[in-house]
Amino acid sequence: MIYLDNAATTIQKPQAVIDAVASAMCSMGNAGRGVNDASLGAARVIYETREKLNRLFHGENPKQIAFTSNSTESLNIAIKGTLAPGDHVITTALEHNSVLRSLYELEETGVKLTIIDSDRQGRIHYADFQREIRENTKAIVCTHGSNLTGNLVDLRQVGRIAAERELLFIVDASQTAGVFPIDVQEMKIDILCFTGHKGLLGPQGTGGLYVRPGLTVRPLKSGGSGVQTYSKSHPSEMPTALEAGTLNGHGIAGLGAAADYLLETGIDTVRAREQELMWRFYEGVKDIPGVIIYGDFTSRERCPIVTLNIRDYDSSEVSDELLITYNISTRSGGHCAPLAHRALGTAEQGAVRFSFSHYNTEKEVDTAIRAVEELALEE
């Protein structure tokens, strides 16, 4: 199979990640639940992974990273743990349902919501953030990179706006963590939400959030923590405050190995390769009659994603044909980004997303180009 669905999950992982998970399955106990070697070893691996991620994101303290099962959980914690009835929040039409549905739920409780529109190329205008700020505005929540078009959001610019108005800045880095440089301090990010199974090259079921020191986030869950057992309240210190229950230590061990790989290889090297393959595909399909490509390709810096349609063909049928005839795996439909599809005019048709990994090859990309060309020529 030619796997071009890496924006959903990276299927090919460094061998060290696989080895780390296998080793943890055989040796890891429950961190913070004992003084035996298995428990202490688990705690050590988990803390070391916090340190590595803190290095990747240029955080102030590894203890400010709390682990979750994915970015959906992270975003739910960040959004529901900081907003209250009467608050106003600004987000964008580029967002994933992990953001939108969380905000819609809060809207029903009295949180006021403004959604910044995007144009037909999936671009937002930063002046709109300034224009929509009110007296009761509490936060800006936005993605770093669109999972539909691959367009990047300028986090420095949005972070500057948020900081100047003393607003919380919550970022969804699902598509960019491990691929693009993220500096939470320089970008004025208060909460960074990430998942482990995409660009970070870790196992599914891993993720987390970085919370700026001094910021309190109400926990989504409470329960066992391994400390303060006799207290009626869940511990308030990070990272325990947001980590009720047993962590996915086996997955975190794999995520730690993935972070090692990225730190040693260099995310710039990984990103350059992925963008090289993405641009090769884009240049190969952009002039094929009947092919419609979505997103802003005026900037070289973008997520390694090319989303397209072929004439008025249903996107699911195109994706199925790519798999059945050419053994190419893509993603069709709505991509959990309903407002972005409405902005692009593809709410009914959906779209076919090709997303690239540095493990892909030029031969695979050329095969995908040929497949799109042949499907476009069919009557």
Side-chain angles (χ1 to χ4, degrees), residues 114-367:
T114 295
I115 300 174
I116 302 294
D117 289 331
S118 76
D119 63 19
R120 295 281 292 190
Q121 289 183 295
R123 298 173 300 192
I124 57 173
H125 301 285
Y126 298 101
D128 291 344
F129 288 104
Q130 292 275 22
R131 189 178 303 113
E132 296 295 344
I133 294 173
R134 309 173 187 171
E135 280 190 12
N136 62 332
T137 303
K138 178 72 175 292
I140 295 174
V141 184
C142 77
T143 188
H144 187 190
S146 168
N147 75 316
L148 176 58
T149 63
N151 293 357
L152 288 176
V153 172
D154 186 345
L155 294 186
R156 285 179 177 81
Q157 192 166 347
V158 183
R160 193 179 309 118
I161 294 169
E164 287 173 354
R165 302 297 292 269
E166 298 183 341
L167 308 178
L168 292 178
F169 186 29
I170 301 171
V171 173
D172 176 6
S174 299
Q175 293 298 327
T176 56
V179 181
F180 288 85
I182 296 174
D183 187 322
V184 293
Q185 297 184 69
E186 182 185 332
M187 295 173 171
K188 311 297 184 186
I189 298 171
D190 293 292
I191 306 178
L192 180 77
C193 301
F194 59 91
T195 195
H197 67 101
K198 299 188 183 190
L200 282 171
L201 301 175
Q204 294 179 353
T206 62
L209 65 168
Y210 175 87
V211 179
R212 171 180 54 77
L215 174 61
T216 298
V217 178
R218 295 186 302 274
L220 194 65
K221 302 179 291 184
S222 59
S225 61
V227 296
Q228 301 178 25
T229 294
Y230 297 100
S231 172
K232 291 183 178 180
S233 302
H234 191 76
S236 59
E237 298 82 9
M238 284 289 290
T240 311
L242 304 180
E243 290 183 342
T246 297
L247 294 175
N248 177 10
H250 306 134
I252 292 169
L255 184 58
D260 280 334
Y261 173 84
L262 290 169
L263 288 166
E264 292 167 7
T265 304
I267 64 171
D268 292 343
T269 300
V270 171
R271 183 175 68 261
R273 175 60 175 165
E274 292 181 352
Q275 290 180 333
E276 176 188 4
L277 295 171
M278 179 271 294
W279 282 108
R280 184 185 184 97
F281 178 77
Y282 171 76
E283 293 295 338
V285 300
K286 67 182 179 69
D287 294 323
I288 297 173
V291 171
I292 307 152
I293 297 176
Y294 305 98
D296 181 10
F297 286 83
T298 60
S299 171
R300 300 295 295 182
E301 282 295 299
R302 60 189 329 281
C303 296
I305 290 170
V306 178
T307 300
L308 56 80
N309 273 316
I310 300 175
R311 297 198 184 90
D312 59 352
Y313 299 163
D314 181 81
S315 63
S316 296
E317 292 182 2
V318 173
S319 192
D320 287 347
E321 191 65 25
L322 286 167
L323 182 63
I324 293 167
T325 303
Y326 302 95
N327 204 24
I328 298 171
S329 179
T330 58
R331 171 82 186 274
S332 62
H335 309 86
C336 302
L339 300 185
H341 271 286
R342 288 175 193 166
L344 299 179
T346 53
E348 296 299 322
Q349 187 179 11
V352 183
R353 184 183 68 191
F354 296 75
S355 50
F356 303 87
S357 163
H358 68 297
Y359 286 115
N360 288 125
T361 66
E362 286 84 355
K363 182 178 180 182
E364 290 176 331
V365 170
D366 292 344
T367 299

Side-chain angles (χ1 to χ4, degrees), residues 89-94 100 103-104 113-117 132 339:
V89 58
I90 301 170
T91 191
T92 80
L94 308 181
L100 294 175
L103 291 173
Y104 292 151
L113 173 63
T114 295
I115 300 174
I116 302 294
D117 289 331
E132 296 295 344
L339 300 185

